[in-house]
Amino acid sequence: MLSHERIWHAIDALAERHQMSPSGLARRAGLDPTSFNKSKRQSADGRERWPSTESIAKVLDATGSTIGQFMEFLRPDGGKGSNGVETLASSNAIPLLGFAQAGAGGFFDDGGFPAGQGWDVVDFPAAGTKAGVYALEIQGDSMQPLYRDGDVLIVEPGAQVRRGDRVVVKTTEGEVMAKVLMRQSARGIDLHSLNPEHPNRSFDLSEVEWIARIIWASQ
């Protein structure tokens, strides 16, 4: 049975699992940093305040968590079995590739999902059951100041992309880039550069091999 206490416990547990405070989790989700503060969980007259479904959805999206993982934290044992061990996977190994290698052939299928040999692996606790999630390691300074050399981007191929999303795009010429999707039509896409020293780009859809959404970065 859902309760005010269990819902807030689940949010706290999710924040802890991702090594964040409740304020940090709210900030990551694009919410007011004080949204999940303990002082906000009751009104001045003592009435219980519940997080909205929209807030929970934003938190799940920001952490790459599934609703099933969140529901585990609602259990009376807080997602732990009788032996006190967390029943959710503490880490999930996902494929890792350097950005410079991503443009070479043989690493992706036609849909932009990881394929072939030569991938390394990295642990990403929030990956859950999302099929095809993988990591790209930034190499060089072409994406500064937002992404720096050594940062790791977690990418979800096949996810719906919308205006304003940070995305990774691979062209039919083998060029791979991380940009912000500014416009997408039936004919092409317009991309905003993360580094002001690099130009914005536009491509016909015939020039795009695949486009995938960035769901997390290790900054």
Side-chain angles (χ1 to χ4, degrees), residues 20-44:
M20 289 183 285
S21 65
S23 295
L25 180 62
R27 189 179 297 107
R28 168 78 67 82
L31 304 170
D32 185 297
T34 66
S35 297
F36 298 153
N37 285 3
K38 293 186 184 300
S39 61
K40 294 292 187 73
R41 301 179 186 187
Q42 288 186 325
S43 62

Side-chain angles (χ1 to χ4, degrees), residues 107-152:
F107 288 108
F108 302 95
D109 64 17
D110 292 340
F113 287 82
Q117 304 296 317
W119 292 82
D120 202 346
V121 294
V122 64
D123 285 340
F124 180 53
T129 58
K130 291 178 182 289
V133 169
Y134 62 89
L136 291 175
E137 183 177 1
I138 299 297
Q139 295 167 324
D141 60 1
S142 65
M143 299 173 199
Q144 289 186 2
L146 188 58
Y147 300 133
R148 295 175 171 80
D149 185 67
D151 285 347
V152 174

Side-chain angles (χ1 to χ4, degrees), residues 61 130-134 154-159 161 211-215:
D61 185 61
K130 291 178 182 289
V133 169
Y134 62 89
I154 306 300
V155 179
E156 183 182 359
V161 294
I211 180 170
R213 184 162 64 95
I214 297 171
I215 61 172

Side-chain angles (χ1 to χ4, degrees), residues 3-17:
S3 69
H4 178 265
E5 180 184 3
R6 296 308 309 167
I7 285 286
W8 282 114
H9 168 79
I11 289 176
D12 290 341
L14 187 63
E16 182 179 357
R17 186 167 185 243

Side-chain angles (χ1 to χ4, degrees), residues 15-185:
E16 182 179 357
R17 186 167 185 243
H18 291 276
Q19 300 181 328
M20 289 183 285
S21 65
S23 295
L25 180 62
R27 189 179 297 107
R28 168 78 67 82
L31 304 170
D32 185 297
T34 66
S35 297
F36 298 153
N37 285 3
K38 293 186 184 300
S39 61
K40 294 292 187 73
R41 301 179 186 187
Q42 288 186 325
S43 62
D45 59 6
R47 288 181 298 173
E48 295 177 341
R49 284 179 172 170
W50 294 62
S52 68
T53 54
E54 180 182 9
S55 295
I56 293 174
K58 288 182 176 180
V59 162
L60 296 181
D61 185 61
T63 59
S65 302
T66 66
I67 187 64
Q69 290 172 324
F70 185 76
M71 294 298 290
E72 287 285 342
F73 289 125
L74 292 174
R75 289 168 37 184
D77 60 13
K80 300 181 186 293
S82 59
N83 60 356
V85 177
E86 189 176 0
T87 58
L88 300 176
S90 60
S91 65
N92 296 281
I94 61 174
L96 169 69
L97 191 67
F99 224 92
Q101 288 77 44
F107 288 108
F108 302 95
D109 64 17
D110 292 340
F113 287 82
Q117 304 296 317
W119 292 82
D120 202 346
V121 294
V122 64
D123 285 340
F124 180 53
T129 58
K130 291 178 182 289
V133 169
Y134 62 89
L136 291 175
E137 183 177 1
I138 299 297
Q139 295 167 324
D141 60 1
S142 65
M143 299 173 199
Q144 289 186 2
L146 188 58
Y147 300 133
R148 295 175 171 80
D149 185 67
D151 285 347
V152 174
L153 307 181
I154 306 300
V155 179
E156 183 182 359
Q160 181 180 4
V161 294
R162 295 167 292 187
R163 179 189 175 111
D165 282 348
R166 296 171 185 174
V167 296
V168 174
V169 175
K170 183 178 182 182
T171 71
T172 54
E173 297 295 320
E175 186 178 4
V176 178
M177 63 198 78
K179 304 282 186 182
V180 177
L181 179 66
M182 298 306 297
R183 181 175 177 272
Q184 183 175 26
S185 70

Side-chain angles (χ1 to χ4, degrees), residues 167 169 177 179-181 189-193 200-201 203:
V167 296
V169 175
M177 63 198 78
K179 304 282 186 182
V180 177
L181 179 66
I189 58 174
D190 295 330
L191 304 171
H192 177 73
S193 179
N200 297 334
R201 305 289 294 276
F203 296 98

